[in-house]
Every structure is written in structure tokens, then in C-alpha cells.
């Protein structure tokens, strides 16, 4: 029976009427690297403030009183500040789903929002401080230096069942008035909510508006709210309190503008946290492939949302995390507006979060669609992807890093250096690059020995690993963007399809990033299409292999001959007699610019 959920029925196409929209537009919110804190505010959920609010409620003749005539304001949660000293301690707290740490303290307004916050007082550690709200009985990791900043009290409206009794309905009304009072006296009510109430100084019949309060030179925290609900245009008499008792689902949509095809797409598989008043995490969800998310139901009226560019498979098993330039910060977008039973909308049109959205989409697509659909080796779980927004350099997969410092295994840069110039990759270039590096990660998981430090400097190794990753990148990127836009053009050079120019190159122009994988799959023979180029491009008389077959043939190979022979031996293909002729150009490329033939270098 679902009739009780009628007031909560919802579909994605209704979002336009329910959003409190916060978009990252060029004339909107800033997009600096570092967050700058503003005014420190009184903590509304502290035991002291909640106790003061309770006494104020008792004195207010219009407020609902607890049916038991007494409500103890005791400690329910702790506000904790962590000071990790090394990567082990850091990992301990950031991977704890109960702690759900934030690098920003919760009691501050934000003067300028950036991607990361570095506390200026964190000078005794390479890490910044991290903050968490946890249940009072939670076993805080004792090995991580920390301090308890405040004892907190949160009302437990969600502990009341789906069909509350008359007494429980009264308790819910009491919770609502108490929470509103706590926000009021700590000056944490949002402006729009201040305008919704009427006020009085001594006599409830005064009925002062918010404008009246300001005209009298008063502050809202210094006057009384009239808690006697009156019907308005949306509520018929008797339904106002029913409305605020009901449960609702925090939800929303996160989208990003794909500049390569001028389309808006969802940010896929990103983690959303919903915090009561911006403090206590009460709900979590992941966005779907359209960027939509929806959590389980809650009675909490006021929430703040935050998006984390990361994905969990189930429970504590993490597929990947996008890092904000450095290993020490997770890429995220923390909303600072309070949403009262309203959905959240984010749309990224430029800047860091747009870039993080591109990397997020490519990584999520690889783990959930590309690898399963094409039968590719899955990269290992818990992989960190460092998204470099300003750096002008090559992206890379770091197979073997000899350092005591923590590093991200994959680095994705927004800009690359071409002919001495820094060039923006475009959304398709960022997608392709992320796919390329994750293909390396999957290759390493399938065949760790291929990426051994003993193979560093081997041109056999380089041409096998890079040609394979280049091929997957080419096939997958074209599949994605041509499905989104049939007239898709490579944003880097306006050619039809991604990496199309690779198959126009002649052998002497090539390096380890050969088009051999695409040559094994497609029915395109560049030596015929580009016969006017002298010397001719490679002769490609092979077609019909799949990415899975090519990968299986590559497994455990250390030279080109092995790859070719495995294709011939493992699979029947009507064009396999042309394999030797096709792979000859790869053997020639292997020796390009080498004084010693590559087949003597192992």
C-alpha cells in the first residue's frame, strides 16, 4: 500500500518547480582555489543554545509545549576537530563514513567559496584540520589527535514512526518550534524565513512583520515569534501543522555543460550528503546517470547539501575519488544555502567544478559502463584521481611511485602543453584522457608485471601500453560523443571523431601512441584513403576484432610479436592473414628515433 506516500510522489521532470537553484555561472559564485571564511556564527545546535531556546519557548504563550511538561536538553552529538599528522591518520578519518569529515568548520559564513579550505592555523602538520559531528557514544579514533569543540543537541523527529499518535504529533510540533527558536536566538535564520514569520515584543496580538521589526530598530533574535499558525494561500485551515509534520525526500539534479558538444549532461555517480542545518549528516545518495539524486525520507525541515566527486560501489567499498589538485583534498561542492523541504540544483558552466564534473563522469562511466560492456579489466578500487585545474602538463598513470609521501595514482590535467603553448583539452579531451589513464590502471591490475620498475625505459613496454590505452581511448570516446551528438567534431582540431588524425599519420611520424587497436577493429584502410601521402600510411587489411579480444591477447605480453601471435592463436578472424603486414608498421614505429633497434632492449 503506497497511498500514504502520495504527498511525496516525485519525478525528475518536476524539479524545475521545486529547485532552490545555485549555479556556477561566470557572473555568479566565485570559483577560486581556496575558500575564505567569513563571520563566525553562534552554534545553533549547541547544548547551551538549545537550552536557552527551550527556556524561551516556555515563556512564549504561542509556542507548543512538550506534552510531558519537561524536555531534557542533553548531549546527543559531539562537534569534533581532527588534526591528522600523517597519511595513515588522514585516511583513517576521511574514509570513515560515520565521521563524514569536512575541511571547513560548520559555524562560519563563507566569504568566498573555493574548492578547498586550508586553515591558516594548521601550521604544525602538512594537513589542514577536519571537522565532524558524531553521536555522543561513537568511538572516535583515539590515534588521531582531536579535540571536542562543543556538545550538541539535535531533536529526534525521524525517530517517530510513519503514523504518529496524537502525543507524537504534539512532540513533532514542539520540535519544530524549539528548532526555529534555536535558530532565531543564535541568529541563524535565513532571510526568507525571517520574512515568513510574524513577531511580537510583549503581546502576541501585535503581529509585527519582519519589516516592522527592522523599522523599529530591533533584531529578530530580540523579539518573539508568533508560533500560532494561520492558514495562507497554500494551506487550508487545519493543514498547516500537518504539512510541517510530514516526511519529504531531499533530492535534486547536478549537471555540467559539455563544451565540446554544447550540451548539458548529468554529473554521474557523485556522492551527495544532506546535513541538518548544515551540521549533522542525516541522508546520503549518489546521482544517477542524469545527475538526479533522491534520498530516503526525513522530517527535518532545514538542510544543506554538499556534492563530493567520488563514487562508492556499496558500503565502504570506494571505486574512486577525484582529488582537488592535491592528494590532501577531495574535490567537492558544498552548498551554503539552507533548503527548507526543497530540492537542490547545481549546474556547472565553467571553472573547477565543471572540470571535476568531467573527470567524475569519465571515471564513473569507465567503472560502471565501459569496463563491463567492453569486457575490459577493471581498475582497482579506492583509486585517487588528482584533477589538476591550472597545471599545464601531461596527464599520467603512476604505476610505480617510489616515495614516502601519499600520491594519487592518476593525474588528469585540464590543460596540456602543445608546441610550447598551454592548450585547454575541451570536455571530450578530458574525458578521453581520463579513459586513457584508467585503461592503464586496468592493464596494470590485469598484468602487474608489465608495469614493473624493471621495464622502465623499454620501448617494447611503451608501445604496448600506450598503443593499447590510446586505442581504448579512441573507441570509447567516439562511442560516447557520437551517441550524444551525431555530428560530433573533435574539439581539438574540428575533425570528424576523436583521434581521427592518428590513422592519417605515416610511420615515420608516429610514436608509441599508434592507432593499431583501431586498425584491428575498423574496416578503414588508410593506405587506400590516403594513397596521395608519400610514403603511404600503413596498410590496414584487418578488421573485426573486439576490445576484449585485443586485451586478452595483450595480457602477459612483453613484445609486439607476442600480441600479434596471440590474436592469431586465440581467435578466428577472416582477416587474420593480414595481421603480420599490419603489425609490421608497429615494429617499425618501435624503432623510430632509436640508434639501437628496439628488439635488443627488453
Amino acid at each position: 500500500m503506497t497511498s500514504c506516500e502520495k504527498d511525496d510522489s516525485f519525478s525528475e521532470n518536476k524539479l524545475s518547480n521545486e529547485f532552490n537553484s545555485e549555479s556556477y555561472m561566470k557572473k555568479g559564485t566565485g570559483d577560486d582555489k581556496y575558500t575564505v571564511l567569513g563571520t563566525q556564527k553562534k552554534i545553533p545546535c549547541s547544548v547551551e543554545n538549545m537550552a536557552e531556546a527551550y527556556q524561551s519557548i516556555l515563556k512564549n504563550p504561542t509556542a507548543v509545549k512538550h506534552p510531558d511538561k519537561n524536555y531534557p536538553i542533553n548531549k546527543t552529538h559531539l562537534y569534533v576537530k581532527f588534526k591528522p599528522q600523517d597519511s595513515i591518520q588522514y585516511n583513517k578519518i576521511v574514509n570513515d563514513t560515520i565521521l563524514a569529515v569536512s575541511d571547513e568548520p560548520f559555524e562560519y559564513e563563507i566569504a568566498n567559496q573555493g574548492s578547498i579550505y586550508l586553515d591558516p592555523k594548521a601550521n604544525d602538520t602538512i594537513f589542514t584540520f577536519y571537522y565532524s559531528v558524531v553521536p555522543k557514544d561513537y568511538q572516535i579514533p583515539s590515534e588521531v589527535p582531536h579535540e571536542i569543540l562543543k556538545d550538541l543537541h539535535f531533536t529526534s523527529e525521524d525517530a517517530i514512526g510513519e503514523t504518529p499518535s496524537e502525543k507524537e504529533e504534539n512532540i513533532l510540533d514542539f520540535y519544530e518550534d524549539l528548532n526555529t527558536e534555536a535558530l532565531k536566538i543564535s541568529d541563524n535564520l535565513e532571510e526568507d524565513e525571517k520574512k515568513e514569520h510574524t513577531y511580537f515584543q510583549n503581546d502576541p496580538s501585535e503581529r509585527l512583520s519582519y519589516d516592522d521589526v527592522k523599522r523599529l530598530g530591533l533584531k529578530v533574535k530580540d523579539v518573539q515569534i508568533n508560533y500560532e499558525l494561520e492558514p495562507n494561500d497554500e494551506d487550508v485551515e487545519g493543514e498547516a501543522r500537518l504539512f510541517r509534520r510530514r516526511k519529504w525526500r531531499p533530492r535534486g539534479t547536478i549537471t555540467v555543460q559539455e563544451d565540446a558538444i554544447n550540451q548539458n549532461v548529468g554529473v554521474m555517480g557523485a556522492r551527495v550528503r544532506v546535513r541538518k542545518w548544515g551540521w549533522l549528516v542525516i541522508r546520503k545518495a549518489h546521482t544517477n546517470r542524469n545527475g538526479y539524486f533522491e534520498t530516503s525520507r526525513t522530517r527535518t525541515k532545514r538542510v544543506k547539501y554538499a556534492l563530493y566527486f567520488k563514487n562508492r560501489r556499496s558500503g565502504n567499498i570506494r571505486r574512486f575519488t577525484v582529488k582537488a589538485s592535491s592528494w590532501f583534498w577531495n574535490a567537492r561542492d558544498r552548498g551554503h544555502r539552507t533548503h527548507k523541504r526543497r530540492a537542490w540544483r547545481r549546474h556547472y558552466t565553467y571553472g573547477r567544478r565543471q572540470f571535476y564534473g568531467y573527470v567524475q563522469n569519465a571515471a564513473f562511466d569507465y567503472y560502471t559502463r565501459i569496463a563491463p560492456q567492453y569486457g575490459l579489466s577493471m581498475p582497482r578500487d579506492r583509486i585517487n584521481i588528482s584533477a589538476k585545474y591550472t597545471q599545464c602538463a601531461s596527464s599520467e598513470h603512476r604505476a610505480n611511485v617510489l616515495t614516502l609521501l601519499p600520491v594519487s595514482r592518476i593525474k588528469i590535467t585540464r590543460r596540456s602543453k602543445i608546441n610550447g603553448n598551454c592548450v585547454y583539452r575541451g570536455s571530450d579531451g578530458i574525458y578521453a584522457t581520463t579513459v586513457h589513464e584508467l585503461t592503464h590502471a586496468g592493464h596494470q591490475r590485469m598484468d602487474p608485471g608489465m608495469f614493473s620498475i624493471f621495464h622502465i625505459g623499454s620501448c617494447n613496454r611503451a608501445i604496448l601500453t600506450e598503443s593499447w590505452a590510446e586505442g581504448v581511448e579512441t573507441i570509447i570516446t567516439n562511442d560516447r560523443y557520437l551517441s550524444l551528438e551525431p555530428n560530433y567534431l573533435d574539439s581539438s582540431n574540428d575533425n570528424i571523431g576523436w583521434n581521427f588524425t592518428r590513422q592519417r599519420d605515416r610511420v615515420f611520424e608516429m610514436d608509441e601512441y599508434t592507432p593499431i587497436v583501431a586498425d584491428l577493429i575498423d574496416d578503414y584502410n588508410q593506405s587506400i584513403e590516403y594513397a596521395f601521402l608519400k610514403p603511404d600510411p600503413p596498410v590496414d587489411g584487418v578488421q573485426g576484432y573486439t576490445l576484449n579480444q585485443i586485451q586478452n591477447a595483450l595480457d602477459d605480453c612483453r613484445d609486439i610479436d607476442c600480441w600479434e601471435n596471440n590474436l592469431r592463436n586465440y581467435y578466428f578472424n577472416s582477416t587474420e592473414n593480414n595481421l603480420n603486414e599490419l603489425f609490421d608498421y608497429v615494429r617499425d614505429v618501435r624503432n623510430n628515433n632509436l640508434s639501437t633497434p628496439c628488439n635488443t632492449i627488453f
Side-chain angles (χ1 to χ4, degrees):
M1 297 179 63
T2 60
S3 59
C4 292
E5 295 193 14
K6 182 178 180 181
D7 66 341
D8 197 49
S9 61
F10 193 77
S11 62
E12 294 180 46
N13 59 14
K14 290 175 60 179
L15 279 174
S16 59
N17 296 323
E18 300 214 14
F19 276 136
N20 280 356
S21 181
E22 296 177 82
S23 298
Y24 274 90
M25 310 297 286
K26 291 185 177 179
K27 294 182 180 180
T29 308
D31 191 54
D32 294 328
K33 180 176 182 179
Y34 292 104
T35 291
V36 178
L37 298 184
T39 304
Q40 182 177 13
K41 306 198 76 172
K42 188 176 179 181
I43 298 176
C45 46
S46 70
V47 168
E48 295 88 345
N49 189 71
M50 293 296 289
E52 184 180 347
Y54 179 59
Q55 292 302 316
S56 182
I57 285 290
L58 294 178
K59 299 174 184 177
N60 188 327
T62 69
V64 177
K65 309 304 187 290
H66 195 280
D68 291 339
K69 309 302 181 183
N70 182 47
Y71 177 73
I73 305 294
N74 48 26
K75 174 176 61 178
T76 62
H77 292 75
L78 303 173
Y79 182 25
V80 188
K81 177 181 180 180
F82 290 95
K83 304 177 181 179
Q85 302 297 304
D86 55 42
S87 59
I88 296 176
Q89 294 180 3
Y90 168 83
N91 277 323
K92 181 70 176 178
I93 61 172
V94 299
N95 292 323
D96 188 317
T97 57
I98 302 299
L99 290 178
V101 295
S102 169
D103 60 359
E104 294 177 2
F106 302 124
E107 71 270 31
Y108 283 83
E109 294 181 337
I110 301 300
N112 190 61
Q113 185 173 359
S115 294
I116 61 178
Y117 174 65
L118 178 60
D119 194 309
K121 297 179 181 178
N123 52 16
D124 58 343
T125 172
I126 60 175
F127 299 92
T128 189
F129 300 139
Y130 293 88
Y131 303 84
S132 177
V133 174
V134 295
K136 64 176 183 179
D137 297 325
Y138 185 71
Q139 293 296 314
I140 299 172
S142 59
E143 66 271 30
V144 184
H146 63 273
E147 61 177 305
I148 307 301
L149 298 179
K150 277 290 182 182
D151 292 340
L152 308 179
H153 176 88
F154 288 101
T155 54
S156 54
E157 49 267 43
D158 281 335
I160 294 177
E162 291 289 333
T163 55
S165 64
E166 182 177 349
K167 178 180 178 179
E168 288 173 328
E169 288 179 346
N170 186 261
I171 292 173
L172 289 173
D173 294 337
F174 164 76
Y175 284 160
E176 171 61 22
D177 290 356
L178 175 63
N179 287 330
T180 301
E181 191 71 13
L183 291 167
K184 187 206 77 169
I185 66 175
S186 61
D187 199 20
N188 278 282
L189 277 181
E190 301 271 337
E191 285 296 300
D192 60 343
E193 188 168 358
K194 290 178 181 178
K195 295 176 182 178
E196 294 173 0
H197 295 291
T198 58
Y199 305 90
F200 64 94
Q201 295 186 71
N202 299 305
D203 184 354
S205 64
E206 286 182 88
R207 301 292 193 195
L208 299 174
S209 69
Y210 179 45
D211 287 337
D212 292 334
V213 172
K214 292 192 294 183
R215 179 174 50 80
L216 293 171
L218 301 173
K219 293 183 178 180
V220 166
K221 67 179 181 178
D222 298 323
V223 294
Q224 296 275 29
I225 292 177
N226 191 321
Y227 287 105
E228 292 178 342
L229 294 176
E230 296 179 340
N232 54 37
D233 293 338
E234 297 180 357
D235 298 315
V236 297
E237 187 161 6
E239 289 190 353
R241 289 197 183 276
L242 291 176
F243 175 80
R244 75 179 193 178
R245 293 172 189 153
R246 74 175 178 89
K247 288 188 173 184
W248 68 291
R249 296 182 189 274
R251 57 202 175 232
T253 296
I254 315 297
T255 54
V256 61
Q257 184 185 44
E258 279 263 13
D259 51 35
I261 52 176
N262 195 28
Q263 289 185 22
N264 297 333
V265 300
V267 175
M268 304 184 295
R271 186 70 160 164
V272 178
R273 289 177 184 165
V274 182
R275 293 182 186 266
K276 182 175 184 176
W277 302 358
W279 286 77
L280 176 65
V281 176
I282 57 169
R283 296 292 184 269
K284 298 176 183 178
H286 280 100
T287 57
N288 66 14
R289 300 192 75 87
N290 295 321
Y292 174 75
F293 70 90
E294 181 175 295
T295 77
S296 57
R297 289 147 58 89
T298 179
R299 285 194 176 92
T300 298
K301 176 182 178 181
R302 305 166 183 88
V303 300
K304 291 184 179 181
Y305 297 90
L307 180 80
Y308 293 82
F309 297 91
K310 62 194 302 183
N311 182 261
R312 293 187 184 275
R313 178 154 49 96
S314 63
N316 292 329
I317 301 175
R318 172 167 54 83
R319 285 192 174 105
F320 64 87
T321 298
V322 180
K323 296 289 185 175
S325 296
S326 167
W327 183 90
F328 303 113
W329 282 274
N330 293 343
R332 51 106 174 107
D333 177 20
R334 179 182 165 193
H336 294 280
R337 180 181 299 174
T338 299
H339 297 251
K340 296 180 288 298
R341 298 179 180 270
R342 302 281 287 184
W344 192 44
R345 165 89 167 122
R346 288 296 229 195
H347 179 55
Y348 308 123
T349 62
Y350 85 111
R352 296 176 188 274
R353 290 167 185 82
Q354 184 189 49
F355 174 47
Y356 300 151
Y358 293 158
V359 177
Q360 170 77 26
N361 279 353
F364 181 76
D365 206 24
Y366 200 97
Y367 274 90
T368 62
R369 182 184 68 88
I370 296 170
Q373 178 177 327
Y374 292 91
L376 302 182
S377 176
M378 191 78 73
R380 66 179 178 86
D381 284 322
R382 305 182 69 85
I383 199 166
N384 291 325
I385 304 173
S386 181
K388 303 286 189 180
Y389 182 73
T390 58
Q391 189 176 93
C392 181
S394 298
S395 298
E396 60 181 331
H397 165 247
R398 304 169 184 180
N400 296 285
V401 183
L402 302 178
T403 177
L404 296 177
L405 295 176
V407 296
S408 298
R409 291 294 173 180
I410 290 178
K411 179 182 77 173
I412 304 297
T413 59
R414 180 175 170 270
R415 302 184 301 163
S416 60
K417 185 168 288 188
I418 300 177
N419 298 324
N421 299 315
C422 286
V423 179
Y424 168 56
R425 294 183 186 277
S427 61
D428 53 350
I430 294 167
Y431 179 90
T433 301
T434 306
V435 167
H436 183 107
E437 304 306 337
L438 285 170
T439 301
H440 282 318
H443 190 181
Q444 183 182 19
R445 189 177 187 183
M446 176 182 72
D447 182 8
M450 184 60 161
F451 293 82
S452 165
I453 59 173
F454 299 108
H455 289 279
I456 294 176
S458 166
C459 51
N460 273 302
R461 169 187 175 275
I463 205 164
L464 290 174
T465 57
E466 295 301 348
S467 290
W468 166 239
E470 187 77 358
V472 175
E473 166 195 329
T474 301
I475 301 301
I476 298 304
T477 303
N478 281 313
D479 282 358
R480 170 178 165 77
Y481 283 91
L482 287 171
S483 68
L484 291 172
E485 173 50 67
N487 298 315
Y488 161 65
L489 299 176
D490 179 342
S491 67
S492 64
N493 51 32
D494 287 337
N495 280 298
I496 299 174
W498 183 257
N499 267 348
F500 179 76
T501 56
R502 290 282 187 200
Q503 291 180 298
R504 292 191 313 193
D505 288 345
R506 292 161 289 181
V507 173
F508 75 90
E509 297 173 314
M510 294 184 186
D511 53 22
E512 63 266 30
Y513 299 89
T514 72
I516 183 63
V517 172
D519 290 337
L520 290 166
I521 295 172
D522 63 26
D523 60 358
Y524 176 80
N525 190 336
Q526 53 264 45
S527 68
I528 296 175
E529 297 294 330
Y530 293 96
F532 60 89
L533 295 174
K534 300 299 179 183
D536 295 341
V539 178
D540 178 8
V542 180
Q543 63 182 24
Y545 286 96
T546 67
L547 284 177
N548 176 256
Q549 291 173 337
I550 298 168
Q551 173 189 256
N552 292 343
L554 177 62
D555 188 12
D556 208 30
C557 280
R558 300 294 181 267
D559 60 56
I560 297 167
D561 293 347
C562 171
W563 198 6
E564 176 194 336
N565 291 333
N566 283 349
L567 281 169
R568 184 180 292 106
N569 296 333
Y570 290 176
Y571 307 103
F572 171 78
N573 183 288
S574 60
T575 63
E576 65 182 25
N577 289 335
N578 299 320
L579 281 171
N580 187 258
E581 181 182 41
L582 180 63
F583 271 93
D584 275 346
Y585 91 78
V586 184
R587 282 181 275 265
D588 290 339
V589 171
R590 179 182 57 185
N591 292 318
N592 281 350
N593 303 316
L594 292 177
S595 58
T596 304
C598 189
N599 57 11
T600 65
I601 303 176
F602 298 98

